[in-house]
Short mmCIF file of all heavy atoms in Angstrom, two decimals:
data_model
loop_
_atom_site.label_atom_id
_atom_site.label_comp_id
_atom_site.label_asym_id
_atom_site.label_seq_id
_atom_site.Cartn_x
_atom_site.Cartn_y
_atom_site.Cartn_z
N TRP A 31 91.13 86.45 102.01
CA TRP A 31 90.14 87.10 102.85
C TRP A 31 90.01 88.57 102.48
O TRP A 31 88.86 89.05 102.31
CB TRP A 31 90.51 86.98 104.36
CG TRP A 31 89.62 87.65 105.31
CD1 TRP A 31 88.45 87.17 105.86
CD2 TRP A 31 89.73 89.04 105.75
NE1 TRP A 31 87.86 88.09 106.65
CE2 TRP A 31 88.59 89.25 106.64
CE3 TRP A 31 90.61 90.00 105.58
CZ2 TRP A 31 88.41 90.53 107.30
CZ3 TRP A 31 90.50 91.23 106.29
CH2 TRP A 31 89.29 91.45 107.09
N ILE A 44 81.29 97.47 104.13
CA ILE A 44 81.43 96.49 105.15
C ILE A 44 82.29 97.07 106.26
O ILE A 44 83.29 97.70 105.96
CB ILE A 44 82.08 95.20 104.62
CG1 ILE A 44 81.30 94.64 103.49
CG2 ILE A 44 82.30 94.24 105.70
CD1 ILE A 44 82.08 93.59 102.66
N ALA A 45 81.99 96.76 107.50
CA ALA A 45 82.81 97.18 108.66
C ALA A 45 82.91 95.94 109.50
O ALA A 45 82.00 95.23 109.75
CB ALA A 45 82.21 98.37 109.48
N GLU A 46 84.13 95.79 110.01
CA GLU A 46 84.46 94.59 110.86
C GLU A 46 85.51 94.90 111.91
O GLU A 46 86.54 95.55 111.64
CB GLU A 46 84.88 93.45 109.95
CG GLU A 46 85.00 92.10 110.59
CD GLU A 46 85.25 90.98 109.72
OE1 GLU A 46 84.74 91.04 108.54
OE2 GLU A 46 86.00 89.99 109.99
N VAL A 47 85.17 94.49 113.14
CA VAL A 47 86.20 94.56 114.23
C VAL A 47 87.07 93.29 114.16
O VAL A 47 86.47 92.20 114.12
CB VAL A 47 85.54 94.79 115.59
CG1 VAL A 47 86.63 94.79 116.67
CG2 VAL A 47 84.73 96.01 115.62
N LEU A 48 88.33 93.42 114.15
CA LEU A 48 89.21 92.23 114.09
C LEU A 48 90.57 92.50 114.74
O LEU A 48 90.85 93.57 115.14
CB LEU A 48 89.39 91.80 112.65
CG LEU A 48 89.81 92.91 111.61
CD1 LEU A 48 91.21 93.20 111.70
CD2 LEU A 48 89.49 92.33 110.21
N THR A 49 91.37 91.45 114.71
CA THR A 49 92.76 91.57 115.19
C THR A 49 93.60 91.92 113.96
O THR A 49 93.65 91.08 113.00
CB THR A 49 93.23 90.33 115.90
OG1 THR A 49 92.37 90.01 117.03
CG2 THR A 49 94.65 90.43 116.30
N LEU A 50 94.31 92.97 113.90
CA LEU A 50 95.12 93.42 112.84
C LEU A 50 96.52 92.82 113.18
O LEU A 50 97.22 93.25 113.99
CB LEU A 50 95.21 94.92 112.79
CG LEU A 50 96.09 95.51 111.70
CD1 LEU A 50 95.49 95.23 110.26
CD2 LEU A 50 96.21 97.01 111.80
N LEU A 54 98.39 90.89 107.98
CA LEU A 54 97.31 91.71 107.35
C LEU A 54 97.68 93.13 107.24
O LEU A 54 97.42 93.74 106.22
CB LEU A 54 96.00 91.53 108.22
CG LEU A 54 94.78 92.36 107.74
CD1 LEU A 54 94.44 92.00 106.32
CD2 LEU A 54 93.62 92.08 108.61
N LEU A 58 97.74 95.31 103.80
CA LEU A 58 97.02 96.65 103.61
C LEU A 58 98.06 97.71 103.15
O LEU A 58 97.79 98.53 102.28
CB LEU A 58 96.37 96.99 104.96
CG LEU A 58 95.14 96.21 105.36
CD1 LEU A 58 94.84 96.48 106.79
CD2 LEU A 58 94.03 96.41 104.34
N PHE A 85 98.64 100.57 123.83
CA PHE A 85 97.73 100.90 122.63
C PHE A 85 96.31 100.47 123.04
O PHE A 85 96.11 99.34 123.40
CB PHE A 85 98.22 100.23 121.32
CG PHE A 85 97.40 100.64 120.13
CD1 PHE A 85 97.80 101.82 119.45
CD2 PHE A 85 96.29 99.97 119.75
CE1 PHE A 85 97.04 102.20 118.35
CE2 PHE A 85 95.52 100.37 118.69
CZ PHE A 85 95.93 101.45 117.96
N GLN A 86 95.39 101.43 122.84
CA GLN A 86 94.00 101.15 123.29
C GLN A 86 93.08 101.18 122.03
O GLN A 86 93.09 102.10 121.26
CB GLN A 86 93.57 102.17 124.25
CG GLN A 86 92.21 101.90 124.89
CD GLN A 86 91.92 102.82 126.00
OE1 GLN A 86 92.59 103.79 126.23
NE2 GLN A 86 90.80 102.60 126.68
N PHE A 87 92.25 100.11 121.92
CA PHE A 87 91.22 100.12 120.83
C PHE A 87 90.27 101.25 121.19
O PHE A 87 89.71 101.30 122.24
CB PHE A 87 90.47 98.75 120.91
CG PHE A 87 89.36 98.72 119.98
CD1 PHE A 87 89.50 98.58 118.58
CD2 PHE A 87 88.09 98.82 120.45
CE1 PHE A 87 88.45 98.53 117.73
CE2 PHE A 87 86.96 98.76 119.56
CZ PHE A 87 87.12 98.61 118.18
N ASN A 88 90.02 102.13 120.17
CA ASN A 88 89.16 103.28 120.32
C ASN A 88 88.04 103.33 119.32
O ASN A 88 87.31 104.31 119.24
CB ASN A 88 89.93 104.54 120.46
CG ASN A 88 90.61 104.92 119.17
OD1 ASN A 88 90.50 104.17 118.15
ND2 ASN A 88 91.42 106.00 119.16
N GLY A 89 87.99 102.33 118.47
CA GLY A 89 87.01 102.35 117.39
C GLY A 89 87.36 103.10 116.10
O GLY A 89 86.63 103.15 115.18
N GLU A 90 88.51 103.75 116.11
CA GLU A 90 88.95 104.51 114.96
C GLU A 90 89.26 103.43 113.79
O GLU A 90 89.94 102.46 114.05
CB GLU A 90 90.27 105.25 115.23
CG GLU A 90 90.71 106.17 114.14
CD GLU A 90 91.88 106.94 114.56
OE1 GLU A 90 92.13 107.20 115.70
OE2 GLU A 90 92.64 107.31 113.61
N SER A 91 88.78 103.67 112.67
CA SER A 91 88.79 102.73 111.66
C SER A 91 90.02 102.79 110.72
O SER A 91 90.64 103.95 110.59
CB SER A 91 87.55 102.75 110.80
OG SER A 91 87.49 103.98 110.11
N ILE A 92 90.36 101.66 110.14
CA ILE A 92 91.29 101.54 108.97
C ILE A 92 90.43 101.48 107.79
O ILE A 92 89.45 100.65 107.77
CB ILE A 92 92.25 100.47 109.20
CG1 ILE A 92 93.21 100.73 110.41
CG2 ILE A 92 93.01 100.13 107.90
CD1 ILE A 92 94.04 99.52 110.78
N VAL A 93 90.59 102.30 106.81
CA VAL A 93 89.69 102.43 105.66
C VAL A 93 90.31 101.94 104.37
O VAL A 93 91.40 102.35 104.01
CB VAL A 93 89.18 103.91 105.49
CG1 VAL A 93 88.14 103.99 104.39
CG2 VAL A 93 88.53 104.36 106.80
N VAL A 94 89.61 101.06 103.62
CA VAL A 94 90.04 100.50 102.43
C VAL A 94 88.89 100.86 101.36
O VAL A 94 87.79 100.61 101.57
CB VAL A 94 90.23 98.98 102.49
CG1 VAL A 94 90.70 98.41 101.11
CG2 VAL A 94 91.23 98.66 103.59
N LEU A 100 94.28 101.43 100.35
CA LEU A 100 94.34 101.87 101.79
C LEU A 100 94.18 103.40 101.87
O LEU A 100 94.96 104.12 101.30
CB LEU A 100 95.57 101.46 102.48
CG LEU A 100 95.78 101.94 103.98
CD1 LEU A 100 94.73 101.09 104.82
CD2 LEU A 100 97.14 101.60 104.43
N ASP A 102 93.09 105.15 104.94
CA ASP A 102 93.40 105.61 106.20
C ASP A 102 93.91 104.51 107.05
O ASP A 102 93.31 103.40 107.05
CB ASP A 102 92.24 106.26 106.84
CG ASP A 102 92.48 107.03 108.10
OD1 ASP A 102 93.56 107.64 108.18
OD2 ASP A 102 91.72 106.98 109.06
N GLY A 103 94.99 104.76 107.83
CA GLY A 103 95.49 103.69 108.71
C GLY A 103 96.99 103.35 108.49
O GLY A 103 97.47 102.40 109.12
N ARG A 106 99.21 103.13 111.79
CA ARG A 106 98.93 101.94 112.58
C ARG A 106 99.34 100.66 111.97
O ARG A 106 99.95 99.78 112.59
CB ARG A 106 97.44 101.89 112.90
CG ARG A 106 97.01 102.96 113.97
CD ARG A 106 95.55 103.06 114.04
NE ARG A 106 95.04 103.83 112.88
CZ ARG A 106 93.88 103.85 112.38
NH1 ARG A 106 92.96 103.18 112.89
NH2 ARG A 106 93.56 104.60 111.31
N CYS A 107 99.11 100.48 110.65
CA CYS A 107 99.56 99.32 109.91
C CYS A 107 101.10 99.24 109.98
O CYS A 107 101.62 98.06 110.29
CB CYS A 107 99.06 99.34 108.46
SG CYS A 107 97.30 99.07 108.33
N ILE A 117 96.99 94.34 116.98
CA ILE A 117 96.04 95.20 117.67
C ILE A 117 94.66 94.97 117.28
O ILE A 117 94.46 94.38 116.17
CB ILE A 117 96.42 96.67 117.48
CG1 ILE A 117 96.32 97.05 116.04
CG2 ILE A 117 97.75 96.99 118.06
CD1 ILE A 117 96.39 98.56 115.77
N GLN A 118 93.69 95.34 118.10
CA GLN A 118 92.25 95.34 117.70
C GLN A 118 92.02 96.57 116.79
O GLN A 118 92.54 97.64 117.12
CB GLN A 118 91.36 95.37 118.87
CG GLN A 118 91.30 94.10 119.70
CD GLN A 118 90.72 92.94 118.87
OE1 GLN A 118 91.59 92.01 118.53
NE2 GLN A 118 89.53 92.97 118.60
N ALA A 119 91.28 96.37 115.75
CA ALA A 119 90.96 97.51 114.86
C ALA A 119 89.67 97.30 114.21
O ALA A 119 89.19 96.12 114.04
CB ALA A 119 92.08 97.56 113.79
N VAL A 120 89.10 98.37 113.64
CA VAL A 120 87.93 98.39 112.88
C VAL A 120 88.38 98.46 111.41
O VAL A 120 89.07 99.45 111.12
CB VAL A 120 86.92 99.40 113.19
CG1 VAL A 120 85.76 99.45 112.21
CG2 VAL A 120 86.50 99.36 114.58
N LEU A 121 88.03 97.57 110.52
CA LEU A 121 88.34 97.77 109.17
C LEU A 121 87.08 98.09 108.46
O LEU A 121 86.05 97.39 108.58
CB LEU A 121 88.88 96.45 108.50
CG LEU A 121 90.50 96.44 108.25
CD1 LEU A 121 91.16 96.58 109.59
CD2 LEU A 121 90.85 95.35 107.51
N VAL A 122 87.09 99.10 107.64
CA VAL A 122 85.92 99.51 106.82
C VAL A 122 86.32 99.42 105.36
O VAL A 122 87.36 99.89 104.96
CB VAL A 122 85.53 101.06 107.13
CG1 VAL A 122 84.46 101.52 106.27
CG2 VAL A 122 85.11 101.14 108.60
N PHE A 123 85.50 98.69 104.61
CA PHE A 123 85.71 98.48 103.24
C PHE A 123 84.53 99.13 102.47
O PHE A 123 83.39 99.01 102.87
CB PHE A 123 85.68 96.96 102.87
CG PHE A 123 86.77 96.19 103.58
CD1 PHE A 123 86.58 95.58 104.76
CD2 PHE A 123 87.98 95.97 102.97
CE1 PHE A 123 87.48 94.84 105.41
CE2 PHE A 123 89.00 95.24 103.55
CZ PHE A 123 88.76 94.71 104.77
#
Side-chain angles (χ1 to χ4, degrees):
W31 176 86
I44 300 167
E46 187 170 326
V47 177
L48 51 73
T49 301
L50 181 64
L54 179 55
L58 290 168
F85 185 86
Q86 186 174 8
F87 174 76
N88 64 4
E90 186 176 335
S91 62
I92 292 172
V93 183
V94 179
L100 180 66
D102 189 37
R106 284 168 284 159
C107 287
I117 61 170
Q118 288 298 109
V120 177
L121 256 66
V122 174
F123 298 91

